Every structure is written in structure tokens, then in C-alpha cells.
Amino acid sequence: SRRRHTRYPLVTGVQTCALPISDPPCHRQSLWQDSRVRYWSAIVPFKGNVEAKSRLRGLYGIDGPDWADAFLLDTLAAVIEEPRIPEIVLVTASEKYPQHPKIRSVSDPECGLNAAIQVGAETAEHSPLVIPGDLVTLNSQEFSTFLTSISECARGFTPDIQNIGTTILFADNAANLKPKYGVNSAAAHRASGACECFAADSLRIDIDNNVSLIDHRNVLGKHTTRLLSMAQHFPGQNPTL
């Protein structure tokens, strides 16, 4: 069958992108008809303003919001492919955000990250699963494996690659989500009784400074890689590009 594309709005430095919407293979179609499958609403907080990715502001000649836009597109590209996530709740104060049948936006109350997550979770049609908008190395197959592994867990979290922060947090409903993102959030979620869940590295790497960008430059998503090709004086970059 022909591949269909959804056009995304222009964002400075990133340019218009189109993510393919493929006709699902037979095994994916069967998932939608299986009442035993656990479905999720992905809650994706996205700052989307001049303060976005402030630690990357002006890095290699690219503004922080442009990094944030590219990171978000790469994260969503992997999440959209997953049939057990029929809904993506993008919590943002920005009027510019990607358009897709699975995506709907919720206004960010701008009272902090945890408040934004909770607002999004309370509108979810399925079990809420928080996915940061900067998981730019997210692999769709590893993500699918992870969802299978947590299908029987009521509430849990995945620590980041440093085992200090938190990337993914999930619960059976919004009331039980109880997000505690911030300094030492892995310890905070652990102390709150959330199960610590194993995940592949692609679900644990969030990019929020130049060190993490450099360290993981070979496994970035295509939108971030494209933006990186326009960066100035990036370590290891061909100076003629």
C-alpha cells in the first residue's frame, strides 16, 4: 500500500518534516481487537518556548528551542509507531506543535513539570505513561519490548542512564501517577513505592546538555542528526560541511 505522510509545521532551524503513517501489519491490527492488551496514553510535556533547553541555548550556533523541537520530533516518531499507544497527550504552552491523528494538546499550567504532567494525565483516556520530549535515541522496537514487560505493573519508573533522574513514569490511572520529577527523582520515585523497571538504554538517555549530546551523537534520531549537520564547530564534525 502507498505510504501516507503527515506534514508538520515549520520550526526555525528544523524545517518541515513528514513522518510516515504506515498501514499496520496484520499482527498490529490484531492488537487493536485484543481486550487483554494494555493500552497507554503517552503524556509528553514540552516547554516549547524561549526557555526550552536553556542549557543548549546558542550551542554550536543553534538556539535551545530549535534543539527542543528536533528532540520532540524524534521522540514522537518512535512513540507514534506503537499500536498500544493510541493517544499522545502533548502538554505545552506553545501554539506550535506537531500535528498527527494520535496527538492532542493540553495547555501547560506553567506551574512546573510535575503539575504539567498531572494535568495531562488527568485528561488521558488510557493508563498514563510519561515520556520526556528529549528521548531522542528512543528505539521503537525496544520501546515495544518495554511496554510488554510492564503490562502487569500498576505503577513504575525507569531511571535515566546516570541512575539519578527519571525518564519514564507510568501508573494504572492519573490519581496513582504521582510524578516527582526534579533533583534525584529516581530516588524520590523509588521511595514513593514505584517499581523500578528495567529498560534498554534508548529509553534512558535524555539529552539536556552538550556532554550528553556529544556522548550520544551516533545514536540520535534523524531530526536531531539533521539539525546537528548545521551546527558550527561540533566535535568530530567535518569542517567542510
Side-chain angles (χ1 to χ4, degrees):
S1 61
R2 297 184 61 185
R3 293 168 71 83
R4 306 187 298 276
H5 290 77
T6 295
R7 302 300 299 181
Y8 279 30
L10 280 170
V11 285
T12 306
V14 177
Q15 302 304 317
T16 300
C17 67
L19 292 182
I21 307 175
S22 302
D23 291 327
C26 293
H27 76 280
R28 290 199 170 190
Q29 289 177 339
S30 67
L31 277 179
W32 294 107
Q33 302 165 5
D34 191 342
S35 61
R36 298 168 299 176
V37 173
R38 186 176 184 181
Y39 294 104
W40 303 90
S41 292
I43 312 300
V44 183
F46 178 61
K47 189 172 287 188
N49 56 31
V50 293
E51 297 300 321
K53 289 299 171 189
S54 58
R55 283 183 284 183
L56 291 175
R57 186 181 302 158
L59 185 66
Y60 309 119
I62 297 173
D63 288 337
D66 292 336
W67 288 116
D69 288 336
F71 293 174
L72 178 66
L73 292 175
D74 282 328
T75 302
L76 292 177
V79 177
I80 283 170
E81 289 186 23
E82 176 51 56
R84 284 169 291 184
I85 297 187
E87 175 187 53
I88 299 172
V89 181
L90 191 65
V91 187
T92 182
S94 175
E95 296 181 357
K96 281 187 176 181
Y97 58 88
Q99 304 295 310
H100 187 276
K102 283 189 176 185
I103 298 174
R104 64 179 175 84
S105 69
V106 171
S107 181
D108 186 345
E110 300 189 70
C111 297
L113 177 58
N114 290 317
I117 290 170
Q118 193 62 42
V119 165
E122 288 171 359
T123 72
E125 295 182 5
H126 307 279
S127 297
L129 182 136
V130 182
I131 302 176
D134 57 2
L135 293 187
V136 297
T137 69
L138 187 61
N139 177 282
S140 57
Q141 291 184 339
E142 292 176 341
F143 183 49
S144 181
T145 298
F146 174 76
L147 292 184
T148 299
S149 73
I150 65 172
S151 62
E152 302 295 328
C153 184
R155 178 173 179 260
F157 76 101
T158 296
D160 64 14
I161 201 70
Q162 289 84 27
N163 290 311
I164 297 174
T166 301
T167 53
I168 293 175
L169 174 70
F170 63 90
D172 50 2
N173 57 57
N176 289 337
L177 189 61
K178 303 172 184 174
K180 299 182 183 300
Y181 285 87
V183 178
N184 297 321
S185 64
H189 284 126
R190 192 179 298 114
S192 72
C195 297
E196 186 167 352
C197 301
F198 170 82
D201 284 354
S202 78
L203 283 74
R204 302 178 62 205
I205 298 170
D206 52 351
I207 305 295
D208 55 11
N209 56 43
N210 66 317
V211 174
S212 55
L213 187 64
I214 293 169
D215 286 348
H216 305 294
R217 61 185 178 275
N218 294 324
V219 290
L220 300 172
K222 68 177 183 180
H223 301 288
T224 305
T225 299
R226 184 183 302 130
L227 188 61
L228 198 58
S229 70
M230 297 184 283
Q232 302 171 8
H233 311 300
F234 186 76
Q237 189 180 67
N238 188 334
T240 64
L241 292 180

